[in-house]
Amino acid sequence: MTRELRGTPAAPGVAVAAPWLHRPAVTGAPARLSLFDASAAAVAEISALATLLRDRGREAEAEIMDAQSLMAQDPALHEAADQLVADGTRPADAIVQAGEAVAASFEAIGDEILAARAADVRDVAARIARVMTGVAAPRLERRSVVVAADLPPSVTVELDRALLAGIALEGGSRTSHAAILSRSLGIPAVVGVAGLCDAVPTVMELGIDGDAGIAYLDPDAETAARLAAASAAAGERARADAAFAAGVLATNDGHRVICAANIGEPTEAEAAFAAGAEAIGLFRTEFAFAGRSTAPDEATQAAAYAQVLRAAHGAEVVFRLADIGGDKPIAYLPIEPEANPFLGLRAIRLAARHPELLPTQLHAILRASADVGARASIMAPMVADEEDLALVLRLVEDACAAVPDAAGPRVGIMIEVPSAVLLADRLAPRIDFISIGTNDLTQYLLAADRSNAALAARQDPLHPAVLRAIGQVVEAVRGTTRCTVAVCGEMAGDPAGAQLLVGLGVDELSMEPRAFGAVKRAVGTRSMPDLVALARTAQHMRSAAEVRRAVEAAA
Ligand code: PEP
Ligand code: MG
């Protein structure tokens, strides 16, 4: 019988293949090179990998290799290893132990990003030990799902892509390197699967569902067939869609819409532009606030924001102010237990409780903008009315006065609260842009908690009420001279949703880059008058399911 182990979804897609367990280097072998020579050889290997990755346009991974090259030359690492050798430890063991000590000190800080760097240090030390002892690098021999406690980045990039079916980690998080790399490589991945490494040695076949975050140990015929069929269908669709990803987002009669990317990490920006983004339409900055014991300071935030502005080369970057609370609680910004966190102290509602939070973030955004010489766009989540907007505009004004040399930012709001839909004609004239957050707007309009799986069928943004709300916001924006309207909820990355949004007159669709091809392909098969008519009819239908059928039938 199939055994299921639940973890966290890290990269979408499904895979079924033999498991391949990666174990950290065993170092008992005698050294053939000195620590100095082995480190130099490891740096040469890492640099060669970085060049190879860059040549293939895999910048995010190349940057990880650059960072590892510096770590391999770190005098502190070498001194610690030399000391251990002087105390009688074998050289290969010494470098691994020294790497472990540095990694443990990173992890002790309790910062998710630094914890991810710990994996890099261990990886570098293991590579130096491997070079020193002449042990061959691990290789895949057949199509496999790679399993590990945590997968070092250099192992990921050296694995034969043709044989790498998926990644399943016992540790890791959505922000660990292996997860970031899997997403950028388009390889399904699950992380945080407790008990996986111990279970795998007796497993012949491993299935993973990267959307649901489930690992299936020795899937039975029915589960394997379901996963294989889903994998084949997704692969075929992805291949067909990929041809459209780099093109423009336009109807077949030339109505253009901006194709923007949603990102959660600065490192995703480069790949988003490479994948065909014209802008970053939603940078969910709150991810950098999670998994830490204190808020990131202004300089740390500014460095991250500057990285995204640099990757954009002058294209627009929308920084969403930290959307904390609701389903994204942060331990060091305590909120008393709430019966309904989604209706509670969330996003800009936290400004009064934590008055330093938003000014620090705004200063960091403006400082990054000044440093890079690029205009930033600032977006406030959960704005409900004119008082909320006044607060946001005042905070931005104060920040601009405090960081005066920054190019004045574009300022916008998310519309995700129903009151803001009804007040859109009052809000839109005072701002540069609106981005509709259909994930929250759907849950609030339909009173259906987005985290409640039992209500999944009620959370479809194709519901006629949501379409009417979006239509109302578009109309309010059209009554202004400067405001534009985007959609950055999941609806924008759903080909059916995207067709309706274009028909409703939205200016920009912002989505996960992996959706670009499918969305551009779907919109590109339709004419603007067709989509306008479809969107109009859909607003008079009875249910989201009926709308979905109508969009599919019209294709
Ligand atoms: C939304 O609500 O549609 C949105 C984009 O924000 P998040 O999903 O991060 O709440
Ligand atoms: Mg939201």
Side-chain angles (χ1 to χ4, degrees), residues 209-414:
D209 182 336
D211 297 279
I214 302 175
Y216 300 90
L217 311 185
D218 284 324
D220 56 27
E222 196 191 320
T223 310
R226 181 169 55 75
L227 291 173
S231 167
E236 212 160 283
R237 249 193 337 269
R239 271 189 296 284
D241 292 341
F244 295 82
V248 293
L249 174 51
T251 56
N252 62 13
D253 55 345
H255 178 87
R256 284 282 310 260
V257 172
I258 295 171
C259 174
N262 292 354
I263 61 168
E265 298 289 332
T267 47
E268 291 171 37
E270 193 92 40
F273 285 105
E278 295 171 79
I280 302 295
L282 170 64
F283 176 16
R284 288 184 163 100
T285 61
E286 59 276 357
F287 288 173
F289 288 75
R292 306 172 48 107
S293 49
T294 56
D297 63 17
E298 185 182 317
T300 306
Q301 290 186 50
Y305 303 157
Q307 186 181 348
V308 180
L309 285 170
R310 271 190 212 100
H313 295 290
E316 177 166 40
V317 177
V318 176
F319 294 90
R320 173 172 72 185
L321 298 176
D323 185 5
I324 291 163
D327 60 341
K328 304 165 194 142
I330 301 282
Y332 55 83
L333 295 173
I335 305 169
E336 287 82 54
E338 297 179 306
N340 297 297
F342 274 120
L343 304 179
L345 276 179
R346 194 187 153 185
I348 55 159
R349 298 173 181 185
L350 278 174
R353 179 69 62 97
H354 297 285
E356 71 303 334
L357 185 71
L358 294 181
T360 305
Q361 184 171 31
L362 287 164
H363 290 181
I365 295 170
L366 296 176
R367 175 124 69 100
S369 157
D371 287 352
V372 177
R375 195 177 185 202
S377 293
I378 293 171
M379 177 162 81
M382 290 285 290
V383 168
D385 57 22
E386 289 185 80
E387 286 202 339
D388 282 349
L389 177 58
L391 168 75
V392 171
L393 294 177
R394 184 172 53 71
L395 288 171
V396 172
E397 203 177 304
D398 290 351
C400 287
V403 189
D405 60 343
R410 288 182 84 228
V411 182
I413 61 168
M414 289 189 76

